[in-house]
């Protein structure tokens, strides 16, 4: 339950002050895995009870407001590039994202955090695959599907998919089973450039190859050692 919310817009910098009172703290249920110990590094940032909480948003000091910049940039990019990936599906509501900054002390702890997120992706996607198959193909209601899956293990869910729907979960697209990992890679780009010599009246168009560093999406396993051996530059001190 949330209390009253006051919004005041200031000058041309579009500074917004929002004050609200929070009465109830909502928790989240996470999937269990051996990597979940990394949550111990998350600092407790719970707001004091029965106090006014003021959140100020503005368009400056992004070099000092690190997490707010990441969250706002992600939300705006989500909307901006939506049509590039979902051209025939309209965005039905304005999205919003929260975030947190967590400091991990070693390379191994960082790898375990990323492994935890990928394991969580697998657990959630396996559940959702069975859940929606029960609803869309077996005609169960959401409550019935949830009851059918309550207490089941990964092997049980795989058996339901294979025996009742002829679905081998291992044949599902890696994008759904593994999630998406973005890494910086050097990519060769071929572009057409017009080159004109001093003695020539008209320039000539030539293909020029240029190497750029760009974020590249991967859908692969990052829990094992193969990924890290193939991309040692990720954990390099100079990266």
């Amino acid at each position: 339950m949330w209390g009253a919310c006051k919004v005041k817009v200031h000058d041309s910098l579009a500074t917004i002050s929002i004050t609200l009172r929070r009465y109830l703290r909502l928790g989240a249920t996470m999937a269990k895995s051996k990597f979940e110990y990394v949550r111990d590094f998350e600092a407790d940032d719970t707001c004091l009870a029965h106090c006014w909480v003021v959140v100020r948003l503005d368009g400056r000091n992004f070099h000092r407001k690190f997490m707010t910049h990441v969250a706002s940039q992600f939300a705006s990019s989500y909307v901006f590039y939506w049509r590039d990936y979902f051209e025939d599906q309209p965005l039905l509501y304005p999205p919003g994202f929260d975030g947190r900054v967590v400091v991990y002390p070693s390379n191994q702890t960082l790898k375990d955090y990323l492994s935890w997120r990928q394991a969580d992706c697998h657990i959630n996607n396996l559940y959702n695959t069975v859940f929606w198959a029960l609803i869309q193909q077996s005609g169960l209601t959401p409550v019935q599907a949830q009851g059918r899956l309550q207490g089941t293990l990964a092997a049980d869910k795989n058996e339901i998919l294979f025996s009742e729907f002829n679905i081998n979960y291992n044949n599902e697209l890696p994008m759904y089973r593994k999630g998406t990992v973005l890494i910086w890679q050097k990519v060769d780009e071929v572009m057409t450039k017009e080159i004109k010599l001093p003695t020539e009246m008209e320039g000539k168009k030539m293909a020029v190859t240029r190497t750029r560093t760009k974020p590249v999406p991967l859908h692969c396993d990052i829990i094992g050692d193969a990924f890290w051996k193939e991309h040692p530059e990720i954990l390099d001190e100079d990266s």
Side-chain angles (χ1 to χ4, degrees):
M1 182 182 300
W2 294 87
C5 178
K6 303 175 183 178
V7 180
K8 184 178 180 181
V9 180
H10 291 287
D11 53 18
S12 59
L13 290 176
T15 301
I16 304 175
S17 295
I18 304 176
T19 59
L20 50 85
R21 179 173 293 171
R22 186 175 187 179
Y23 294 101
L24 179 65
R25 182 186 180 191
L26 300 177
T29 302
M30 292 292 183
K32 301 294 183 181
S33 71
K34 67 178 182 179
F35 305 109
E36 196 170 352
Y37 80 92
V38 297
R39 296 187 64 190
D40 295 337
F41 291 94
E42 298 179 4
D44 185 6
D45 57 356
T46 304
C47 298
L48 296 176
H50 307 295
C51 294
W52 287 103
V53 179
V54 178
V55 179
R56 181 186 179 192
L57 305 176
D58 60 29
R60 57 196 179 98
N61 290 334
F62 283 146
H63 62 288
R64 298 173 59 187
K65 301 165 69 193
F66 181 59
M67 190 63 258
T68 56
H69 174 58
V70 173
S72 64
Q73 186 67 38
F74 186 88
S76 61
S77 298
Y78 186 92
V79 176
F80 188 83
Y81 293 106
W82 174 268
R83 291 188 177 180
D84 292 353
Y85 298 93
F86 308 101
E87 183 177 356
D88 299 329
Q89 302 179 28
L91 189 61
L92 301 179
Y93 57 89
F97 301 91
D98 67 353
R100 67 184 62 187
V101 174
V102 184
V103 179
Y104 294 115
S106 67
N107 288 350
Q108 186 59 52
T109 311
L110 175 62
K111 290 168 64 177
D112 286 348
Y113 166 77
L114 296 174
S115 298
W116 171 47
R117 301 316 306 141
Q118 186 165 79
D120 200 40
C121 173
H122 159 70
I123 293 171
N124 292 334
N125 185 68
L126 176 58
Y127 181 93
N128 288 330
T129 302
V130 186
F131 180 81
W132 287 109
L134 291 171
I135 294 175
Q136 296 174 348
Q137 299 186 44
S138 290
L140 270 63
T141 66
V143 174
Q144 291 171 333
Q146 185 178 11
R148 173 77 186 279
L149 295 176
Q150 187 173 4
T152 58
L153 302 177
D156 302 321
K157 297 181 180 70
N158 276 296
E159 178 62 25
I160 294 174
L161 285 174
F162 188 75
S163 62
E164 298 186 22
F165 306 106
N166 196 29
I167 296 176
N168 186 336
Y169 183 74
N170 292 326
N171 294 335
E172 295 293 294
L173 293 176
M175 179 176 64
Y176 303 118
R177 294 186 291 109
K178 303 294 184 181
T180 300
V181 180
L182 294 175
I183 67 172
W184 290 99
Q185 280 190 336
K186 292 183 178 179
V187 178
D188 290 336
E189 291 185 343
V190 179
M191 56 182 300
T192 302
K193 190 174 182 180
E194 184 174 329
I195 299 177
K196 183 178 181 181
L197 298 176
T199 57
E200 297 178 346
M201 296 296 295
E202 298 183 358
K204 296 181 178 179
K205 293 183 178 180
M206 300 181 62
V208 178
T209 302
R210 183 175 60 177
T211 302
R212 296 182 60 185
T213 303
K214 299 179 62 177
V216 177
L218 302 177
H219 312 295
C220 60
D221 179 77
I222 62 173
I223 297 178
D225 293 331
F227 172 82
W228 302 101
K229 290 180 179 178
E230 186 177 353
H231 304 283
E233 71 282 356
I234 295 177
L235 299 178
D236 188 84
E237 293 183 359
D238 296 330
S239 63

